Amino acid sequence: SFTMADVEPVVDNEPDYKRLHAYSLVRNTDMDDEMLSEAVDTAVTACDKFPENLEAAAQMLKQAMDTKFGPSWHAVIGEGFGFEITYEVKNLLYMFHNGAFSICLWKCA
C-alpha cells in the first residue's frame, strides 16, 4: 500500500490533450492512398514549418497540391471553425494535427 505522500505530483506545462494528440489524425477523407499520403505529409510539414503563421501554412499546402494534382485546391488551417463545402469526389481531407490544428483541404474547380 502507499500513502499520498508516496505519490509525486506530475508537473507538466503541456495540456493533456496536446500530449494525447501529438500526432496527425485523419478525421474524414475520400482520397486515394497516394494522394492522401502526399496531402497529409504536406499538411504536417506546412504546420510544423509555420506554427505561428497558419495563413502561410495553408498557402504552402494549397500551392503544393495545385502543383502535384492540378488546380484548384483550397486549404483552411486553424482552431475552432465549422465548414460546409462543395468538393470534387475523391479530393477531400479533414484532419487534426498535433492536438492544436484542424486542417480542411479540398479540390473544387
Side-chain angles (χ1 to χ4, degrees):
S1 82
F2 63 91
T3 64
M4 287 303 287
D6 296 332
V7 179
E8 291 189 34
V10 175
V11 178
D12 191 352
N13 294 330
E14 193 168 25
D16 286 339
Y17 74 92
K18 283 196 176 181
R19 268 186 291 142
L20 290 172
H21 301 290
Y23 56 87
S24 296
L25 174 68
V26 174
R27 176 71 175 91
N28 190 8
T29 188
D30 64 354
M31 292 178 171
D32 64 44
D33 290 341
E34 178 195 352
M35 184 182 288
L36 177 61
S37 177
E38 182 75 24
V40 169
D41 288 348
T42 305
V44 167
T45 299
C47 288
D48 290 346
K49 185 173 182 178
F50 301 107
E52 302 298 321
N53 186 350
L54 299 181
E55 186 176 340
Q59 183 178 21
M60 178 182 167
L61 177 56
K62 181 221 180 325
Q63 288 175 346
M65 295 299 288
D66 278 348
T67 300
K68 176 96 179 186
F69 299 103
S72 282
W73 287 90
H74 308 275
V76 176
I77 302 175
E79 298 180 59
F81 62 87
F83 61 92
E84 179 67 30
I85 60 172
T86 300
Y87 68 96
E88 293 179 18
V89 176
K90 302 280 190 195
N91 291 283
L92 171 71
L93 171 64
Y94 180 52
M95 65 179 282
F96 304 111
H97 176 60
N98 221 15
F101 304 123
S102 295
I103 300 161
C104 187
L105 175 69
W106 72 99
K107 185 176 186 178
C108 184

